[in-house]
Amino acid sequence: MEYRLPNHPSSLISDPLSILDSEELQVPYWEFLKALLKPMTSSIEAAAVEARTDIEEGTSKAQNVEFKRSQRIHSMFFDALDTIACSLSPTTRTQDFSLLRSQSPDLLPSELIHSIIQSALQLPTLLPSGYLPILGNPPTGSGQHEKQQPAASASSTSITLSSDQINCLICHMLLGTLPTPPWPDASWEPSLAQAWFADDGRGDREIKNAYIKVLLTYLGDTLRDGHDQQDKEGQEGEAGLGRTGVTYRLVEYPSIPRDDVLFASLSNETADLRNKPLVPLTVCLLDEEDDDCEHCFGIEMKDSNTSKESSITTDMVQLISANKEVGFGPAATQEERLFGAVPCLLPIVLFTPPLSPTQGVLVSGNGTAVYARFKGHLRTAKLDTIYSSPDAQKKGRSFLFLDALEMDGESHGRDRELELMKRELRKLITGFGALEINEQSGKWRSRARVVVPPWGCGTFGGDLRVKLLLIWLSASIVSGELPSFGDQGQEDGDEKEEEGMGALELRFSLRQDIWNQLDPEWRHSIQSISRFRLRVDGNENDVAQTTWNIGRFWDEVSSGKCLLP
């Protein structure tokens, strides 16, 4: 299975408006797009020459003339978008681009329209085979264009795209030229029109406008006359990867011990696993939800043994409470806000089928960049800052997508809940385990700070405390040197880094009013566990603590007590 792009040899499209003047019911899709888009770039270039001439000659009312030219180009652009939508879906006939149309000319100038079209027209150069492999499926195709293809592992568990390739795909998502993904019952629409551009009552108009502003800022920053200057060095690296790139990686549970071995080790009093310490956990209390909080991301990690600032390199990772169909949307869940703030995440919808209960997705690489900061959640969400300056953007951050159970309305009996806890533990171990090994070098990472929201909703009667404990437990199980799990332990001890390396640190971001509503005795119990810190306004509150290990923690969770008084 593969995701076929408009330039794939088998990609056809209806041509009801006779763009190609063909009598065939369907025409080659790429020829259709070229015939529709290329004349527009010529018109924009001609208009730019005229504008420069008017200014140089001092033509009267030059500003008014330029405004009319800009209006004409915008009209041509949106007519083309309507034509594409009509040709892709003859029964639907049109897409709603009204919110994109309403943007200020400063955000969508003629020059940016030109760059968007030029970037889209680079598709045969950047992805000449005309397809993307689907994560979790064996790759297909081979031959002459390997060098420009996205780098994929032998089993398509990961795909690496250059910045040029990412921008080209995003431009096609904006233009609405991409087909529905090929997996069964695919409900995802890769066009941004339906989710972001339509003023149709779905989602929040203000938050949609915010997503559009961030997207246009990103494209204006990364596109330079149709070519991404970040990859000026050309397509010389593997799979066209220049100086910057992003890897989208499917992570799966089988990479760690089988269920029977894992849970037997957790319950076996003599197992090494039970004696492992818990990883450091800091609960950061905020006035409101904040996707880029300085207290979570901007403070140096402290050494867990000395409480001093550490110079050890720390990878920043953001855990996203995702839907099993990972992607963007018209509302303001944490997942949707992150897709709005980090545009390089957008192509993930093209090659990521719905996640199974034992899968997650890790997005990493030096090409990731956070372009915006959102605060609030759902109806209270709002755009706080757009990082228009490259120096302000948070580059190189990793993003871990894990879907959590939603169990509202389900029974919550003791036996049922233990199985659900095991499911969530498997999912979290899958994700945190992927952070421990650097895929490119195959060696242990130095350290990773994982910033975690209240992951998932509704499960276990909506009890935040259970989810927090499962997150802490799973990170502790995989962090640092993996202990022996029966006969499946670490075999090559020479590959391990020195003591203290390969460690995870958790930052759990939570609104202060929610924390204050939790049972006071429970709050005191968790604060008494060693390696727990509470951070309020950047200041840590320490209380007398006792040392806990994984075994004692698992006994609390599996018994259903969960530190509850």
Side-chain angles (χ1 to χ4, degrees), residues 435-477:
L435 303 179
E436 285 293 275
I437 297 293
N438 184 306
E439 187 181 29
Q440 292 182 342
S441 67
K443 296 181 179 180
W444 292 99
R445 292 178 183 270
S446 51
R447 284 184 173 178
R449 175 187 296 163
V450 187
V451 179
V452 182
W455 182 65
C457 58
T459 315
F460 314 117
D463 195 333
L464 170 72
R465 297 171 295 186
V466 179
K467 278 293 181 72
L468 174 56
L469 298 182
L470 289 173
I471 289 167
W472 198 359
L473 177 63
S474 57
S476 301
I477 288 173

Side-chain angles (χ1 to χ4, degrees), residues 73-136:
I73 290 167
H74 274 71
S75 179
M76 291 173 57
F77 179 64
F78 286 104
D79 284 348
L81 298 190
D82 288 337
T83 300
I84 292 168
C86 174
S87 301
L88 273 178
S89 304
T91 56
T92 304
R93 289 297 177 189
T94 185
Q95 288 271 23
D96 184 356
F97 296 95
S98 54
L99 294 182
L100 182 62
R101 288 178 189 267
S102 67
Q103 298 304 309
S104 162
D106 292 337
L107 274 175
L108 189 59
S110 301
E111 294 80 8
L112 180 56
I113 291 176
H114 183 266
S115 294
I116 290 170
I117 295 172
Q118 286 286 73
S119 178
L121 290 173
Q122 291 294 309
L123 186 62
T125 301
L126 296 169
L127 294 159
S129 70
Y131 74 90
L132 293 168
I134 303 298
L135 288 179

Side-chain angles (χ1 to χ4, degrees), residues 286 288-298 316 318 334 337-338 341 370-375 384-385 387 392-394 397 399 451 509:
L286 314 174
E288 60 182 334
E289 291 87 352
D290 188 339
D291 295 329
D292 194 31
C293 172
E294 294 94 339
H295 299 326
C296 295
F297 290 102
M316 292 294 182
Q318 200 157 358
Q334 187 224 7
R337 296 193 307 271
L338 262 295
V370 180
Y371 267 77
R373 178 180 186 176
F374 286 87
K375 290 186 177 181
D384 181 78
T385 308
Y387 302 129
Q393 294 151 14
K394 315 304 191 312
R397 185 179 298 175
F399 301 90
V451 179
S509 61

Side-chain angles (χ1 to χ4, degrees), residues 133 146 148-153 158-161 165 238-241 247-248:
E146 272 186 359
Q148 287 78 27
Q149 275 304 102
S153 64
S158 68
I159 296 173
T160 298
L161 296 173
Q165 292 169 330
E238 182 182 7
L241 186 62
T247 296
Y248 309 82

Side-chain angles (χ1 to χ4, degrees), residues 233-246:
E233 296 164 354
Q235 310 297 319
E236 296 178 356
E238 182 182 7
L241 186 62
R243 289 183 298 167
T244 56
V246 177

